[in-house]
Amino acid sequence: MTTAETPLLIPADWRDFLALTKPRVMTLVVFTGLCGMLAAPVPIHPVLGFTAILCIALGAGAAGALNQWYEADLDAAMRRTQQRPLPAGRMDRQSALHFGVGLAAFSVILMGFAVNLAAAAILTVSILFYVLVYTVWLKRRTPQNIVIGGAAGAFPPLIGWAAATGDVALLPVLLFGLVFLWTPPHFWALALFVKTDYANAGVPMLPVVAGERVTRHQIGLYTIPMALAGIAPWPLGLTGAIYGIVATVTTLVFALLALRVATRHTQADDRMKPEKRLFSYSILYLFVVFGALVVDRWVMA
Amino acid sequence: MTPDDQDLIRRRQKSRALVMALLLGAFAILVFAIALTKIRQGMV
């Protein structure tokens, strides 16, 4: 055995397993899942509701761990991800694989037994979609990678709704559409200001492959259907005026910020402020819109 | 392997065992709560 391999004998710290689950991404997933559940017309028992959200969180964590298991080589090439447990050499890949597969199976089985089969089935699809379709298949092959990957992140409201009702309806499908269409402007805004990083790792992000001008246009284009999906529940009579007004105002702000990004050109020594602003605002936007949905439901009830 | 390495391994094993014990304990409580809920709802 060479000295270079010695660190692998040391078991990884439990905090590194926690880091493998991408806890920060999980907050958004848990929040949208919870809102999907609370927006459902049927109340769910708190214990079962808690279990459903726990399963969504564990499933998302499992998908994150499997993503990092598969992408350790990419992560090592990017400054943003170099300190993750695998590229930093704090954990061996097999531990990450076993942890991810075990957690995924556990979350789905618990969901199936404790909540219902519909929620367990959608959870399974979302994990497989994120790991197989996004991570393994498309991320390294097409600049539309995050558009398709966005679907994986859009499942939680659908799972939350299914946990409460055992079924799927138009409103959670629209919420799915909102998160799905929100992902491209959100992620490409990030890709615009960390472009060099993705280029180093050889990931075909849109700014790297098609150039900045195309990326800016695509941000603007995807914002249009996103805005429609965000506002649609109100005119369709699925929500009340509270959601309608909040969604309309916050979506307009989103559209203005996106328009600014879509129509501008990068100057020499550009600090990319509008892009950073759109990225930060996009996260706030989802929290506010989903929060408004729940408040709207409670007031209407 | 130096004594320092062995020390580190012991510490890691200990903290991992502790976290695992806490998680298993929490899981047992959760299963108990789910069982009670299901019985009350007449689902079992």
Side-chain angles (χ1 to χ4, degrees), chain A residues 10-13 45 106 113-114, chain B residues 12 15-16 19 27 37-38 41:
Chain A
I10 295 173
D13 193 283
H45 189 284
F106 179 80
F113 275 117
Chain B
R12 289 268 169 91
S15 67
R16 276 170 67 157
V19 170
F27 181 57
T37 310
K38 295 231 168 200
Q41 291 184 341

Side-chain angles (χ1 to χ4, degrees), chain B:
Chain B
M1 189 177 295
T2 64
D4 274 357
D5 282 344
Q6 275 182 338
D7 226 37
L8 179 65
I9 290 174
R10 295 265 153 71
R11 275 207 311 276
R12 289 268 169 91
Q13 284 173 334
K14 201 176 167 187
S15 67
R16 276 170 67 157
L18 189 69
V19 170
M20 206 60 209
L22 288 173
L23 288 176
L24 282 173
F27 181 57
I29 294 169
L30 179 67
V31 169
F32 183 61
I34 292 169
L36 284 186
T37 310
K38 295 231 168 200
I39 290 166
R40 285 215 187 110
Q41 291 184 341
M43 291 165 78
V44 179

Side-chain angles (χ1 to χ4, degrees), chain A residues 44-288:
Chain A
I44 183 169
H45 189 284
V47 171
L48 301 184
F50 170 80
T51 309
I53 297 302
L54 181 71
C55 290
I56 295 176
L58 295 180
L66 290 170
N67 169 276
Q68 290 188 45
W69 162 74
Y70 190 79
E71 291 189 341
D73 58 328
L74 284 190
D75 287 348
M78 292 202 294
R79 206 154 38 89
R80 188 170 66 88
T81 50
Q82 264 167 2
Q83 285 312 309
R84 285 178 175 175
L86 292 177
R90 296 197 303 273
M91 186 188 289
D92 61 307
R93 284 188 76 199
Q94 205 179 30
S95 300
L97 175 64
H98 292 177
F99 176 68
V101 171
L103 201 60
F106 179 80
S107 67
V108 169
I109 292 168
L110 183 61
M111 185 75 103
F113 275 117
V115 185
N116 60 48
L117 286 180
I122 307 174
L123 182 63
T124 311
V125 170
S126 72
I127 297 171
L128 292 178
F129 195 92
Y130 185 73
V131 176
L132 297 180
V133 178
Y134 172 66
T135 305
V136 175
W137 183 22
L138 293 168
K139 184 164 179 182
R140 300 183 197 215
R141 283 188 177 77
T142 158
Q144 294 291 315
N145 46 19
I146 53 96
V147 179
I148 293 110
F155 278 111
L158 217 54
I159 304 171
W161 180 286
T165 64
D167 216 336
V168 170
L170 181 59
L171 182 59
V173 171
L174 283 172
L175 296 177
F176 174 90
L178 172 64
V179 183
F180 176 55
L181 295 163
W182 162 92
T183 313
H186 164 77
F187 230 91
W188 281 331
L190 174 74
L192 278 175
F193 61 85
V194 291
K195 192 172 74 175
T196 48
D197 246 351
Y198 280 112
N200 287 342
V203 181
M205 285 308 264
L206 200 58
V208 180
V209 181
E212 252 194 57
R213 208 170 49 86
V214 175
T215 309
R216 291 179 183 282
H217 286 171
Q218 297 267 326
I219 287 176
L221 282 179
Y222 273 99
T223 303
I224 299 166
M226 184 212 78
L228 291 176
I231 298 171
W234 187 28
L236 287 173
L238 300 170
T239 62
I242 295 177
Y243 175 83
I245 292 164
V246 173
T248 308
V249 172
T250 51
T251 304
L252 272 178
V253 175
F254 191 109
L256 288 174
L257 291 176
L259 187 68
R260 174 92 183 93
V261 171
T263 52
R264 114 185 234 284
H265 302 282
T266 309
Q267 312 296 322
D269 204 20
D270 201 314
R271 292 178 57 202
M272 302 300 242
K273 264 198 165 161
E275 291 73 19
K276 288 177 181 165
R277 205 178 300 144
L278 176 64
F279 178 73
S280 316
Y281 178 79
S282 65
I283 298 170
L284 179 73
Y285 170 76
L286 263 205
F287 273 104
V288 171

Side-chain angles (χ1 to χ4, degrees), chain A residues 31-40 156-158 160-162 164 175 290 293-294:
Chain A
F31 182 75
T32 55
L34 184 67
C35 291
M37 191 166 82
L38 295 177
L158 217 54
W161 180 286
L175 296 177
F290 274 84
L293 177 70
V294 174

